[in-house]
């Protein structure tokens, strides 16, 4: 059985500065029809900055939808669909933590919520860090955090880091470094 759904009709029902909401009529694999609500998003980038001492540089910021402060890796949306994800990652790292890096390793992509958005987050690890001045967006307020990789993995496993992209990227870095060191 082929699982692909076919778009029959698409209607944009909201156009925002970051997201656009659509309501589509689709044909299901069995020939029946259904509706799909989904959000189009330009995509994002996140970076796990690893210090020479094995610490991860993070940011603590207030996340309005959850009504709480969240510890996460530096991240942001792509400026456009044409923006090179690595260049966007370098920009976010500099804006949020004032960091430039000598080496970046791609950690692949992450689909944060495939049930209702087409957002793709490109994940990177950064090494050979140099610290300088931050350059945050005018509506961006973050506090830097530095946590040893091993402790951060323990925090993730204990449910203390709820952010999905941070969980995925940090666990990938831990796996990468464990297999590189052996």
């Amino acid at each position: 059985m082929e699982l692909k759904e076919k778009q029959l009709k698409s209607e944009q029902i909201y156009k925002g500065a970051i997201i656009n909401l659509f309501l589509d009529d689709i044909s299901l694999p069995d020939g029946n029809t259904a509706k799909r609500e989904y959000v189009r998003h330009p995509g994002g980038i996140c970076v796990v900055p690893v210090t020479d001492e094995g610490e991860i540089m993070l940011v603590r910021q207030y996340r309005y939808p959850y009504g709480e402060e969240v510890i996460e890796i530096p991240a942001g949306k792509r400026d456009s669909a044409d923006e090179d994800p690595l260049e966007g990652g370098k920009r976010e790292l500099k804006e949020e933590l004032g960091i430039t890096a000598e080496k970046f390793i791609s950690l692949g992509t992450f689909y944060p919520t495939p049930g209702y958005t087409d957002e793709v987050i490109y994940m990177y690890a950064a090494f050979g860090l140099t610290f300088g001045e931050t350059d945050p967006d005018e509506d961006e307020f973050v506090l830097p955090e530095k946590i040893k990789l091993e402790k951060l993995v323990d925090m993730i496993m204990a449910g203390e880091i709820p952010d999905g992209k941070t969980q995925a990227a940090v666990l990938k870095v831990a796996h990468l470094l464990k297999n590189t060191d052996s």
Side-chain angles (χ1 to χ4, degrees):
M1 173 196 270
E2 184 177 324
L3 297 176
K4 187 171 180 164
E5 299 175 348
K6 182 180 175 193
Q7 182 186 75
L8 302 173
K9 176 183 162 195
S10 182
E11 176 186 2
Q12 184 171 357
I13 56 178
Y14 175 77
K15 181 174 176 52
I18 298 173
I19 62 169
N20 297 300
L21 179 60
F22 289 82
L23 178 62
D24 288 5
D25 292 328
I26 59 132
S27 174
L28 298 169
D30 66 3
N32 289 317
T33 60
K35 294 199 178 284
R36 294 286 184 256
E37 295 176 354
Y38 63 98
V39 173
R40 289 225 178 260
H41 186 283
I45 313 104
C46 64
V47 181
V48 181
V50 183
T51 69
D52 293 341
E53 296 76 34
E55 297 164 316
I56 306 301
M57 299 301 304
L58 302 121
V59 294
R60 176 185 297 271
Q61 61 185 319
Y62 185 81
R63 290 301 195 176
Y64 183 81
Y66 297 103
E68 64 184 61
E69 291 180 8
V70 177
I71 296 172
E72 55 193 276
I73 55 179
K77 78 172 184 61
R78 293 171 70 189
D79 283 345
S80 74
D82 297 331
E83 180 182 36
D84 177 76
L86 179 56
E87 293 307 311
K90 291 176 180 179
R91 181 192 69 246
E92 290 298 329
L93 196 56
K94 179 72 174 146
E95 285 178 6
E96 295 184 7
L97 290 171
I99 293 174
T100 55
E102 292 175 10
K103 180 180 178 183
F104 288 85
I105 296 174
S106 173
L107 300 172
T109 57
F110 179 70
Y111 293 2
T113 45
Y116 67 85
T117 182
D118 67 351
E119 180 181 11
V120 175
I121 299 176
Y122 296 85
M123 302 183 298
Y124 296 93
F127 300 92
L129 310 181
T130 301
F131 295 83
E133 294 296 315
T134 62
D135 185 24
D137 293 334
E138 64 183 31
D139 64 346
E140 186 172 45
F141 300 91
V142 301
L143 297 173
E145 299 267 338
K146 183 171 27 176
I147 301 174
K148 279 282 208 190
L149 177 59
E150 298 80 14
K151 180 179 179 187
L152 186 56
V153 168
D154 289 343
M155 292 172 71
I156 288 168
M157 298 309 293
E160 297 172 31
I161 305 292
D163 179 60
K165 69 183 176 308
T166 299
Q167 292 177 6
V170 167
L171 293 175
K172 283 187 168 207
V173 166
H175 182 75
L176 176 76
L177 293 178
K178 178 183 174 189
N179 290 324
T180 302
D181 292 341
S182 18

